[in-house]
Amino acid sequence: MVKSYLRYEPATAFGVIASVDSNITYDTSGKHLLAPALEKVGVWHVRQGVCAKTLTPSTQSRGPSLAVTSIAAVPSSSSLIASGHADGSIRIWDCERGTCETTLNGHKGATTILRFNKTGSLLASGSKDNDIVLWDVIGEVGLFRLRGHRDQVTDLAFLDSGKKLVSSSKDKFLRVWDLDTQHCTQIIGGHHSEVWSIDVDPEERYLVTGSADSELRFYTIKQENLDTNNKDSSIENKWEILKPFGEIQRQSKDRVATVRFNKSGTLLACQAAGKTVEIYRVLDETESKRKAKRRVNRKKEKKSSKMVENGNTEDSNLTMVTEVTVPDVFKLLQTVRATKKISSISFSPITSKNSLATLAISLNNNLLEIYSIDTNSTTKTSSIELQGHRSDVRSVTLSSDNTLLMSTSHNSVKIWNPSTGSCLRTIDSGYGLCSLFVPGNKFAVIGTKSGNLEIIDVRSGTLVEVVKAHTGAIQSIVATSDGGGFVTGSSDHDVKFWEYETTKIQGQDSVNLTVSTVKNLSMNDDVIVVAVSPDGKHIAVALLDCTVKVFYMDTSKFFLTLYGHKLPVLCMDISSDGDLIVTGSADKNIKIWGLDFGDCHKSIFAHADSVTGVKFVRNTHYMFTVGKDRVVKYWDADKFELLLTLEGHHAEIWCLSISDRGDFVVTGSHDRSIRRWDRTEEPFFLEEEKEKRLEEMFEADLENLENRYLPQQELPEEGAVAIAGKKTQDTLTGTDSIIEALDIATEELKRMAENEEEKKQGKGGEFRSNVIMLGLSPSDYILRAVSKVHTNDLEQTLLALPFSDALKLLSNLKDWSSNPDKVELVCRIATVLLQLHHNQLVATTSTRPLLALLKDILHAKVKECKDTLGFNLAAMDHIKQLMASKSDAPFRDAKSKLQEIRAKQSKRVEERGDTKGERRKKKKQKKDDGHVWS
């Protein structure tokens, strides 16, 4: 009988508030903040400081390849958001429902930037593969790919209501693309280093760029409608969309990471790659002109006073042109300083009454901060910090009933609910390297880097006592088998045995826990890890000299030495029956030893980097190992076989803990996440798993071979355009399924024809259709296979079809076009196939009647569809008008309208005041000049 095992699968991940690979952004309402949490997107309710929902991609591949690298929200009122990932895929999410609407595959490198146009119908994505892809969000398809940059695309901005696109890159150039003609119309140089970020103000007056240079550069944007009247504009200037306007010196010495205008365009934030954000005030036209005029007047006065001093009064009436410069428009308002390095910033789309704007900042220590910006000061209003550690998770421990999980980090201990992932308690502590729940789960003991033992009251979340236990870091802490105490191992060469004592608090019913040393075992090197056998017979101590020494627990007499590892043993565990001891080392191997004679049963090359944790599942010889190579592995220690490899962590895994029943495993990592892996009821067999692993390796090798040995693509010509999609496993599977469907349908048609012949001759019986066809006609069966292909993958799927199969598809289009729901699909298939096989189709005379027929049918069907849509739109418009006439909608906007009118009036009054002042000045000047008017 073949042995079967139960599969473990990733269940949940928690502890990450904001990871550093991606930007943060507000949703359209301004209530929620979207923050990257490794491969997920967390939707945080800003005011309540809780995670409202998590957007998790449902996919087979896990781990760093899926990390979120960019996030964008639709600017118009919609719940759609887009997330770009490290494998180049883009996912469109419905934020309200928390579902993934579609996945778009087009990039070969990680997605670095996503930008929607104002209406949210177009999405532009830039990537590390130097390409920009334009996506139709509604149709869920790629429109085209723009090539021309020689290095990673860093930022994108739509211009002129989405007709133009500006891109910046690490190749130091800006490019302006015309989306109608799909060409690059302008290239702007002048930056001395990589351009990291660009942004356009809402009124599309200015474009700002940030690089590693010490200044911010500004460009004015040519407005099309204004320049069409100007007949004198030369042909050279026709394509010049951006004109240099000037620059401003920045305060920070670090490179610019992000530049962003707020929604109203009154503020500009410049985030440096350090701890500061500079906030600039953007003055409107009248204010900036006034400022420029004042500057010119000051200059005039200076000049005239100089001339008077020199005794030259003739040319004092010089006229100076008042030209608005960058400092007249942009003025430094505040500098926001954070405690740690800033990863990303985002302006809130809604502003509160008391402040100019609200700014969200994500820091590189897993923290979100919200700042309120006023004219004179910047105040931190709130921060989201309790749901995660500030640095690596160094140890995780489960309570005896598996209802509580304790994790330690460099300055705090957190108690979690492992089933929901919610943080129940946070206790300030030293740098905790190891931890332990005291029997009864009311207290816990933490071993710290400074050599102290910290006793924590779990219920109240308070630090009860700090005991100076060792002079070096406490590396390991393990409970004794009787539950009456524990053993600690430290880098001061000592192994100490402790027992619990309770002290009654005076005047209270409750008791406090203290600990006292029973005995001390001195070693000749640093102790790295300690393990106690479940029967309480032996204690194993791993030392820095790469050996493991086993002693008798009661007498502390020496029993065995386990030699064999080339580098120090970092972790070990003893099985429940006391037969086996497993050691994991920095030499990437695990060794399984018998505890009776100390013989090495097997040495296994387990991980691609140091093995950091190993634990047996209770009452079995199955074990889990974790390593710095980011994977969790499940082994059978009797057969010495690898059962499962679990991927998910994005950085080194430091620790693991297994529940008593073995129904779940918890791991803690350098990526600050804590992950739970659950045992399912799904059985698996060893041979099947091995085959699956080999297949995955083969597929990965195939991809690498393609990339390595295919002729390298030449650098694209200036502003080239290409197909948006890319070949993936899905597109190849789609092509195979279409070809298979075509073959089955052809065979079926052949059988039908034969049956008809036999019927004519009076021989044939009743025709029985093929069971695989599911009762569909051959044409409908092919349509079913084509419809299953994702809209974004259709182009690439049809690309791989041979010409003969493409002809078969074309011949079926006539039947499919009669279904109004499929007209769009039919048109897309026809267009793609005609573009691909144009030369062959022209050369093949037999296809002409088919093409002529399709030309007539498709035009008529598309017109029909258009008419239906138009009719429905008109009807909906009519219903909208009827509802508006019955409701109080016209009066809702009255308040905002009134405010607008008042603002305009106050502006006019100011302008009048300005002109009166100017008149007075002129009169005064004339009197001073002493002119006599005849």
Side-chain angles (χ1 to χ4, degrees), residues 337-505:
R337 283 185 170 80
T339 50
K340 286 278 179 202
K341 197 176 174 188
I342 298 169
S343 298
S344 167
I345 59 165
S346 178
F347 272 117
S348 171
I350 51 168
T351 50
S352 59
K353 291 171 187 173
N354 313 330
S355 64
L356 293 172
T358 306
L359 184 74
I361 291 177
S362 74
L363 304 179
N364 73 346
N365 65 342
N366 197 23
L367 183 61
L368 289 172
E369 292 184 338
I370 315 294
Y371 286 87
S372 174
I373 296 159
D374 294 321
T375 33
N376 304 323
S377 63
T378 306
T379 48
K380 183 162 83 169
T381 52
S382 63
S383 63
I384 299 168
E385 57 183 340
L386 291 177
Q387 286 86 344
H389 283 291
R390 299 286 76 78
S391 70
D392 306 26
V393 179
R394 291 312 300 247
S395 78
V396 286
T397 316
L398 283 160
S399 60
S400 56
D401 55 0
N402 303 323
T403 55
L404 295 176
L405 168 73
M406 177 166 56
S407 63
T408 66
S409 181
H410 78 302
N411 66 353
S412 65
V413 175
K414 285 183 186 285
I415 310 289
W416 308 81
N417 178 342
S419 54
T420 61
S422 55
C423 182
L424 308 174
R425 297 269 184 280
T426 301
I427 306 125
D428 290 337
S429 73
Y431 197 135
L433 295 176
C434 47
S435 54
L436 173 79
F437 271 105
V438 174
N441 304 324
K442 291 176 182 176
F443 293 94
V445 182
I446 313 293
T448 65
K449 205 172 184 176
S450 57
N452 293 337
L453 280 176
E454 296 182 350
I455 299 165
I456 282 165
D457 188 332
V458 175
R459 293 163 301 175
S460 64
T462 53
L463 184 64
V464 178
E465 193 184 354
V466 178
V467 180
K468 184 69 186 158
H470 290 271
T471 52
I474 299 175
Q475 303 276 11
S476 179
I477 184 166
V478 57
T480 53
S481 53
D482 60 358
F486 58 92
V487 183
T488 58
S490 164
S491 53
D492 64 359
H493 303 195
D494 282 351
V495 175
K496 288 189 179 178
F497 294 75
W498 306 78
E499 63 179 25
Y500 302 119
E501 289 175 358
T502 51
T503 55
K504 198 162 174 52
I505 303 169

Side-chain angles (χ1 to χ4, degrees), residues 267-326:
L267 295 177
L268 167 68
C270 167
Q271 176 221 331
K275 298 180 181 178
T276 59
V277 180
E278 292 164 21
I279 311 286
Y280 293 89
R281 183 76 184 270
V282 185
L283 304 178
D284 60 17
E285 261 182 81
T286 49
E287 283 179 321
S288 52
K289 275 178 184 168
R290 203 180 303 152
K291 199 174 172 189
K293 215 172 266 178
R294 281 207 298 270
R295 178 171 51 75
V296 170
N297 286 342
R298 278 202 300 274
K299 257 191 181 177
K300 267 188 193 173
E301 282 167 18
K302 265 191 183 176
K303 229 174 187 184
S304 58
S305 62
K306 269 187 184 177
M307 283 176 173
V308 169
E309 279 173 24
N310 300 338
N312 182 11
T313 55
E314 287 173 19
D315 294 316
S316 62
N317 200 17
L318 284 169
T319 54
M320 284 192 175
V321 184
T322 53
E323 206 171 278
V324 177
T325 59
V326 175

Side-chain angles (χ1 to χ4, degrees), residues 117-118 157-166 176-180 200-205 221-226 241:
N117 65 344
K118 278 179 186 167
F158 279 98
L159 289 185
D160 193 22
S161 320
K163 286 181 188 168
K164 302 229 173 356
L165 182 74
V166 185
V176 183
W177 307 84
D178 189 314
L179 300 183
D180 293 338
V200 176
D201 71 321
E203 291 174 3
E204 292 189 3
R205 291 188 299 157
I221 299 163
K222 185 177 88 170
Q223 302 293 340
E224 295 249 322
N225 49 8
L226 298 178
I241 308 297

